[in-house]
Amino acid sequence: MALDAIIVGGGHNGLTCAFYLARAGYKVRVLERREIVGGAAVTEEFHPGFRNSVASYSVSLLNPKVIADMDLARHGLTVVIRPLSYFSPVDDRRYLILDKDPERSRREVAKWSARDAERLQDFHTHLDGNVELLRSLLLKTPVNPAGGARDLISGLGLANQVRRMGLKGQGDLLDLFGKSAGDILDAWFETDVLKGLLGFDATIGNYASPYTPGSAYVLLHHVFGEVNGVKGAWGHALGGMGSITQAMAKACMGAGVEITTGAPVREIAIAGGKAVGVVLEDGSDLSARVVVSNLNPKLLFGKLVAPEHLEQPFKDRMGAWRCASGTFRMNVALAELPNFTCKPSQGRAEQHGASIVIAPSLTYLDRAFMDARIHGWARHPAIEMHIPSVLDDSLAPVGQHVASLFCQQFAPTLPDDSGWDEHRETSADLIIDTVTAYAPNFKGAVLGRMILSPLDLERKLALTGGDIFHGSLTLDQLYSARPALGYGDYRAPIAGLYMCGSGTHPGGGVTGAPGHNAAHEILRDLRARSAKHLRPKVGATAG
């Protein structure tokens, strides 16, 4: 049977898109260059007996509709909520805890500032109106400024949503898209560690200072999720993030999707101005009615689509597409849990189940970015550490543990023209030493480590520039402009070619939303073509 759709890239959005197309009755094949599907959401053994999520490392943004439609729980996915939200060590004596219980968070912040403790809930309420607007847009195709009546109606609906927010809400929305996270947090709070902890979310996957205009949106991007019905919560997928994409793969195969691994694509086949299939690196040709890319747009249009098929303005846009998340990712195998000087423990304690954030102030975060601009990496990196083995004993031998370290800021390209292969071990040592400054036993507990510099992220996972979001989340690369004005509706500037990855709305993170939305538009087009094909010619009868 001829293929209806080829999906290039078996990451979570590619699998999501494939599922919806197959469920609608279309013949779909997913092509993945690696020997395992999942993209950045995979689990691998990195030291004998120790397994962990490779790149993405926490669950919150995965859309509830996608989870339900794909019946991921039935296919083996279980997510547990972290027992404590955040633990941020400051020095040998002091730390800050934020908990999912608002009253406990208030008490913990009150140890630092009574004023900030009273303002904390108001701050979250301040964000909530904008979060709800964002949530309402996640599973909707962005308005195409060059579109027709349908886009006009959608645009009017969005304008009406914003109108209902009132002038105060509209002003808050404008601040979140136009101001820096640092400016907003400085206006709300006086406690350095609280501002650093909240500001860290604005730098996750964002190669920028928390005082960079527009960084407030990145903060917002990380709080719109939910886990097990609890809004704003973050959790752990038992078995690591690979359990998400393995469950998705089972759902796809149950719907009839054919998945082929070890099948890198060399180019998109285009004939008569239309995508008609792909050519694999081994020279094989595969044909389909439509081709769907789950790749970074810069990779798709820079390497897989021949330049003669693109207009110059679009090529210029893709040439300027910014891919720089400033991320350095590590997994470490541990003989024992870290023992923090500021909150010592004998064995497991509540802080080990938290997101452990080393970002004691906005100044710390700002200097980290400035260092990376000058030296190539932060001399004092911002670090988020999870120890998922305290929640999931399948990841490490009994009595031992694994830790995920997500680190900022590390330049995608080093300023002295040296390469990351030359400096990756030095940077990894620096990260270990940074954690050890707060937990003196940490360095001695490390049994093995997986190191992923920005270059390693690109080589291993096809994350261009090491960008975990497939493109920076800046105002000019969001919504209808993701990846370009006129092409934010998941349709490429070539007929029959579509985009379903994180380089489309609503952007990065393990959400499934781009895959869901792209499938919706592809189905609309496939059904329209079928209806046109079946429509009787003038003078004929319908039979």
Side-chain angles (χ1 to χ4, degrees):
M1 176 187 265
L3 290 172
D4 292 303
I6 290 172
I7 313 288
V8 180
H12 81 281
N13 278 311
L15 295 171
T16 301
C17 184
F19 168 81
Y20 284 108
L21 296 180
R23 191 179 70 167
Y26 291 96
K27 180 69 173 175
V28 184
R29 185 172 179 183
V30 173
L31 302 175
E32 168 56 43
R33 71 182 184 95
R34 298 188 72 210
E35 296 301 325
I36 182 174
V37 295
V42 292
T43 303
E44 293 181 3
E45 184 176 76
F46 66 95
H47 188 72
F50 294 82
R51 302 164 57 246
N52 204 15
S53 307
V54 172
S56 58
Y57 60 103
S58 193
V59 186
S60 178
L61 307 182
L62 186 59
N63 193 272
K65 183 177 187 297
V66 172
I67 294 173
D69 288 349
M70 299 185 77
D71 202 0
L72 296 184
R74 183 172 67 85
H75 292 296
L77 176 63
T78 301
V79 180
V80 294
I81 297 177
R82 290 197 311 248
L84 184 66
S85 297
Y86 293 100
F87 168 70
S88 184
V90 177
D91 53 32
D92 287 349
R93 296 178 296 105
R94 299 178 301 165
Y95 60 86
L96 176 64
I97 281 175
L98 293 182
D99 190 56
K100 55 184 177 292
D101 174 10
E103 179 55 30
R104 183 179 181 191
S105 292
R106 190 196 65 77
R107 293 196 305 269
E108 294 288 341
V109 173
K111 296 175 183 177
W112 292 84
S113 165
R115 173 185 178 273
D116 286 355
E118 294 306 315
R119 291 172 66 84
L120 186 62
Q121 188 55 49
D122 287 343
F123 173 74
H124 290 301
T125 301
H126 166 80
L127 292 181
D128 282 347
N130 296 291
V131 169
E132 287 307 314
L133 176 65
L134 180 59
R135 284 196 182 111
S136 75
L137 298 177
L138 292 177
L139 298 183
K140 293 181 181 178
T141 298
V143 176
N144 184 347
R150 185 164 60 93
D151 289 284
L152 177 60
I153 293 170
S154 296
L156 290 172
L158 176 58
N160 195 43
Q161 279 184 269
V162 174
R163 181 190 62 81
R164 289 198 300 267
M165 295 175 71
L167 289 177
K168 174 65 167 61
Q170 292 166 22
D172 292 343
L173 183 64
L174 187 62
D175 284 350
L176 284 164
F177 278 96
K179 287 186 176 181
S180 74
D183 287 336
I184 289 176
L185 292 169
D186 282 338
W188 272 91
F189 302 114
E190 61 187 9
T191 305
D192 282 341
V193 63
L194 177 60
K195 291 188 287 184
L197 180 53
L198 296 173
F200 179 77
D201 273 352
T203 65
I204 293 178
N206 186 22
Y207 186 49
S209 163
Y211 287 103
T212 300
S215 59
Y217 170 76
V218 184
L219 184 155
L220 192 67
H221 185 82
H222 286 93
V223 298
F224 69 68
E226 64 180 80
V227 175
N228 300 339
V230 180
K231 290 185 177 180
W234 286 80
H236 167 72
L238 295 184
M241 296 297 283
S243 64
I244 297 174
T245 47
Q246 288 304 304
M248 286 181 163
K250 291 176 183 176
C252 284
M253 289 185 286
V257 175
E258 181 181 0
I259 298 175
T260 305
T261 57
V265 172
R266 187 176 73 199
E267 66 178 292
I268 306 298
I270 299 170
K274 181 182 182 302
V276 295
V278 300
V279 181
L280 302 184
E281 284 191 358
D282 65 7
S284 303
D285 292 307
L286 295 174
S287 300
R289 295 172 65 189
V290 300
V291 178
V292 189
S293 169
N294 188 35
L295 310 179
N296 186 311
K298 199 175 189 78
L299 178 58
L300 170 64
F301 296 108
K303 292 190 176 180
L304 299 191
V305 174
E308 61 266 24
H309 298 295
L310 300 170
E311 298 291 336
Q312 192 59 48
F314 189 83
K315 286 191 284 188
D316 292 342
R317 168 69 173 177
M318 289 300 98
W321 183 253
R322 291 188 308 285
C323 297
S325 64
T327 300
F328 196 106
R329 183 73 173 82
M330 287 182 64
N331 285 319
V332 295
L334 296 173
E336 61 182 359
L337 289 166
N339 190 6
F340 293 92
T341 308
C342 63
K343 201 175 191 304
S345 62
Q346 295 296 320
R348 178 177 172 177
E350 64 172 354
Q351 61 267 26
H352 296 123
S355 170
I356 301 165
V357 176
I358 297 174
S361 69
L362 290 172
T363 299
Y364 184 100
L365 292 169
D366 183 51
R367 287 175 179 166
F369 174 64
M370 296 305 173
D371 278 354
R373 291 286 302 271
I374 297 169
H375 305 291
W377 57 84
R379 289 171 291 184
H380 300 283
I383 299 171
E384 182 176 28
M385 180 167 72
H386 289 184
I387 309 174
S389 50
V390 301
L391 307 174
D392 182 355
D393 59 13
S394 73
L395 300 178
V398 175
Q400 298 178 317
H401 293 276
V402 296
S404 299
L405 295 104
F406 183 93
C407 314
Q408 299 279 134
Q409 301 281 350
F410 295 81
T413 303
L414 297 179
D416 62 358
D417 294 326
S418 63
W420 269 114
D421 288 339
E422 183 181 340
H423 297 287
R424 62 197 299 275
E425 295 289 341
T426 301
S427 294
D429 291 341
L430 170 65
I431 291 164
I432 297 294
D433 289 342
T434 301
V435 177
T436 303
Y438 298 91
N441 70 321
F442 186 72
K443 186 172 184 177
V446 174
L447 303 172
R449 61 194 192 185
M450 168 190 276
I451 303 170
L452 292 172
S453 71
L455 179 60
D456 294 321
L457 289 169
E458 178 167 336
R459 286 190 297 212
K460 183 179 179 73
L461 302 173
L463 298 175
T464 305
D467 194 322
I468 62 171
F469 292 150
H470 287 196
S472 301
L473 298 176
T474 50
L475 186 58
D476 63 320
Q477 294 191 173
L478 290 175
Y479 195 55
S480 297
R482 192 167 185 89
L485 286 174
Y487 303 100
D489 59 0
Y490 310 97
R491 296 170 177 87
I494 297 165
L497 179 60
Y498 297 82
M499 301 167 285
C500 73
S502 292
T504 61
H505 173 74
V510 180
T511 71
H516 169 282
N517 298 351
H520 180 80
E521 297 303 322
I522 295 164
L523 289 172
R524 182 191 301 275
D525 290 352
L526 286 173
R527 289 164 177 162
R529 290 183 203 174
S530 297
K532 182 178 180 180
H533 178 72
L534 295 173
R535 190 178 300 132
K537 296 180 181 179
V538 176
T541 63

